Amino acid sequence: MNQAFRKFSIFAANALGSSWMFITNVLLILLWLAVGPFFHYSDTWQLFVNTATTVFTYLAVFLIQNTQNRDALAIHLKLDELIKGVSGARTHLVNLENLNDEELMALQKEFTRLRKRTSKAIEGNSPVGRD
């Protein structure tokens, strides 16, 4: 069942994100607007589009979330492999997604300091602006 849902969610997410699906939905909304006068813009006419869009959105959220979860996992695994393969890399960074907010903020500050130090070193050694 997981395999079938995975295949379906990938297919559905690709379809939902396509330009033809956007165009189809614009055409459906235009059609709905066009038939409004025939239904005298009744409550039923409005309820139809409200219900259809709510159900469609509700189901699409689950499909898209499944696809995003898989993509995030794949990216984490690829980065983990890169960290593992680089000599001198801090392999404890492999599980960053499991750190608490304070630990993540401390790492962010560390990398911000490193970026500033690196950019100062580059500016100091750069021939640009020297006479």
Side-chain angles (χ1 to χ4, degrees):
M1 173 131 169
N2 278 345
Q3 188 71 357
F5 181 69
R6 181 187 67 78
K7 287 180 180 180
F8 176 74
S9 66
I10 291 170
F11 170 79
N14 289 334
L16 290 172
S18 69
S19 58
W20 66 266
M21 184 60 79
F22 177 78
I23 292 168
T24 301
N25 279 288
V26 168
L27 293 175
L28 286 171
I29 293 299
L30 291 174
L31 176 66
W32 172 76
L33 288 171
V35 299
F38 298 106
F39 291 96
H40 307 289
Y41 300 103
S42 67
D43 289 344
T44 304
W45 173 78
Q46 291 179 20
L47 184 62
F48 173 78
V49 78
N50 289 340
T51 303
T53 56
T54 300
V55 168
F56 185 77
T57 302
Y58 180 77
L59 295 173
V61 164
F62 291 102
L63 293 172
I64 293 168
Q65 187 62 53
N66 177 270
T67 303
Q68 286 182 333
N69 288 347
R70 289 185 43 74
D71 288 347
L73 178 60
I75 288 170
H76 283 279
L77 293 170
K78 289 175 184 180
L79 291 172
D80 291 349
E81 178 64 21
L82 290 172
I83 290 170
K84 183 181 89 172
V86 174
S87 64
R90 296 180 287 180
T91 55
H92 70 279
L93 295 180
V94 167
N95 292 319
L96 286 180
E97 64 274 8
N98 296 324
L99 297 181
N100 63 40
D101 290 343
E102 292 80 24
E103 292 168 321
L104 288 172
M105 289 303 295
L107 273 172
Q108 183 178 14
K109 288 178 183 176
E110 179 184 339
F111 284 118
T112 299
R113 284 191 305 269
L114 179 63
R115 274 194 306 272
K116 286 179 183 177
R117 215 177 18 215
T118 303
S119 67
K120 284 181 184 177
I122 290 172
E123 288 173 10
N125 292 330
S126 175
V128 177
R130 289 187 181 175
D131 293 345

